[in-house]
Amino acid sequence: MEPQGIFRGTIPLLEKTLDLRSIRHNLIISNVANMDTPNYKAFDIVIKEELEKAMGAGKNIKLEKTGPGHLSGRETCPGNVKSRAAGTQQFTMKGNGNSVDIDREMANLSENNLMYNALAQIISRKFEGLKNVIKEGR
Amino acid sequence: MNFLDAFHISSSGLTAQRLRMNLISGNLANINTTRTQQGGPYKKKDAVFAAHTDRQSFGNMLKSQMTGKSFEVKVVGIIDDPRPPQLKYDPQHPDADKNGYVAMPNINLIEEMVNMMSATRSYEANVTAVKATKNMALKALEIGR
């Protein structure tokens, strides 16, 4: 069900991105856990192309312009973006057929962690803003 | 919940690396052991790891379809290194054969030290991953506070 009213717009988008970040976190840590497993191939999430597909699906909502100087906005809610796991680079630097590059994985881990925290903060602020409006700023 | 999976994956990695560390310590401690219960010198032990995903139940199948692949580490066995024992000339040794050679364990000290460093680093990487997971879970709980 599509959310209605004040919960429409950025909140479902942020929810979805948090979801995808936590999926990516799981993939990264399974790569880290399996860094010494023979023949294990590293995985990462592929969302860019799916996101582009969803953005280009013609679901654009035009912002209403009440004055000639207003900018046109583009807002989409990619609510059902699919994610899939795909192998990253398949060449290996180790003798046992394992393709986990630990430097890359740790960098991805901290990047993903930071982005998750940022998104959690944004969604938190969003709710704070709504609360402020509901309480009429008191 | 997604984060519980994350903790399980990292803890499987921690367990695997700790086991590897124990085996390395055992190898180092027994580097001069010439008598074992099976007879002959001590043999170098090594763990075999496999990426493991439990797809037996419907719930796990559904989860793997919805959230993508993620693998735990499973220790599938502990093997004896098949390399032959190192022969050392020491005719005074009680375990020497008739030519005066003693079969010493097939353990290479440098190899063990390198494996020990590798196990330590892998363990640390998994600890960092657990910390990151905890951090994310706590941040998620702060939403709407």
Side-chain angles (χ1 to χ4, degrees):
Chain A
M1 199 187 87
E2 280 282 296
Q4 298 296 318
I6 51 173
F7 298 114
R8 202 162 43 94
T10 42
I11 290 172
L13 174 67
L14 289 169
E15 265 173 32
K16 188 71 204 173
T17 42
L18 275 176
D19 217 16
L20 291 171
R21 287 280 168 201
S22 73
I23 291 173
R24 181 156 191 242
H25 181 74
N26 269 6
L27 292 180
I28 294 168
I29 60 159
S30 39
N31 290 342
V32 172
N34 283 291
M35 65 187 275
D36 292 316
T37 305
N39 295 319
Y40 179 85
K41 300 287 181 238
F43 286 96
D44 202 354
I45 200 166
V46 183
I47 42 174
K48 195 166 170 270
E49 53 202 64
E50 297 288 342
L51 202 64
E52 277 166 1
K53 221 187 284 172
M55 296 293 266
K59 294 199 301 181
N60 296 358
I61 304 159
K62 289 276 188 301
L63 271 185
E64 201 170 331
K65 283 187 271 187
T66 51
H70 288 176
L71 298 171
S72 63
R74 182 161 169 264
E75 190 190 335
T76 44
C77 174
N80 44 7
V81 179
K82 296 250 170 43
S83 64
R84 65 189 168 86
T88 46
Q89 50 159 6
Q90 294 294 316
F91 88 95
T92 170
M93 288 178 285
K94 299 180 198 160
N96 58 2
N98 184 306
S99 78
V100 178
D101 178 354
I102 191 64
D103 301 312
R104 178 199 288 248
E105 297 303 333
M106 294 319 274
N108 283 345
L109 182 80
S110 57
E111 183 214 331
N112 200 49
N113 196 1
L114 275 174
M115 289 303 287
Y116 188 93
N117 288 354
L119 286 164
Q121 207 164 32
I122 292 170
I123 200 165
S124 197
R125 291 283 157 83
K126 179 87 186 166
F127 283 123
E128 251 171 52
L130 285 173
K131 209 164 157 190
N132 197 28
V133 169
I134 289 164
K135 287 163 78 181
E136 299 177 336
R138 275 176 290 181
Chain B
M1 190 184 142
N2 239 332
F3 281 117
L4 295 181
D5 277 355
F7 282 120
H8 282 147
I9 295 167
S10 288
S11 64
S12 75
L14 290 172
T15 313
Q17 298 301 335
R18 185 176 286 274
L19 175 87
R20 202 170 145 218
M21 201 64 170
N22 283 348
L23 293 176
I24 293 167
S25 309
N27 290 343
L28 286 175
N30 286 295
I31 198 159
N32 287 318
T33 304
T34 52
R35 290 177 197 181
T36 53
Q37 281 187 332
Q38 295 82 31
Y42 181 86
K43 288 194 175 67
K44 175 181 144 74
K45 302 269 188 293
D46 211 349
V48 185
F49 293 164
H52 171 71
T53 176
D54 185 15
R55 291 178 191 278
Q56 298 302 311
S57 72
F58 175 77
N60 287 331
M61 196 79 165
L62 182 70
K63 202 159 64 186
S64 75
Q65 287 297 313
M66 285 178 72
T67 61
K69 302 171 191 175
S70 54
F71 295 101
E72 292 183 9
V73 195
K74 199 179 177 207
V75 181
V76 286
I78 295 170
I79 52 159
D80 286 342
D81 197 299
R83 275 178 286 185
Q86 296 171 3
L87 294 176
K88 183 179 154 201
Y89 186 68
D90 186 1
Q92 312 305 319
H93 197 286
D95 293 326
D97 63 7
K98 61 181 187 299
N99 298 321
Y101 283 98
V102 188
M104 299 300 279
N106 52 356
I107 297 167
N108 183 345
L109 183 66
I110 297 167
E111 200 183 312
E112 294 304 316
M113 295 311 277
V114 170
N115 282 339
M116 191 167 82
M117 278 162 65
S118 154
T120 315
R121 295 288 168 262
S122 302
Y123 193 87
E124 281 170 6
N126 278 298
V127 171
T128 311
V130 173
K131 278 185 190 155
T133 311
K134 203 179 96 184
N135 198 352
M136 281 168 72
L138 286 174
K139 261 288 184 283
L141 287 174
E142 274 175 24
I143 295 174
R145 178 171 288 180

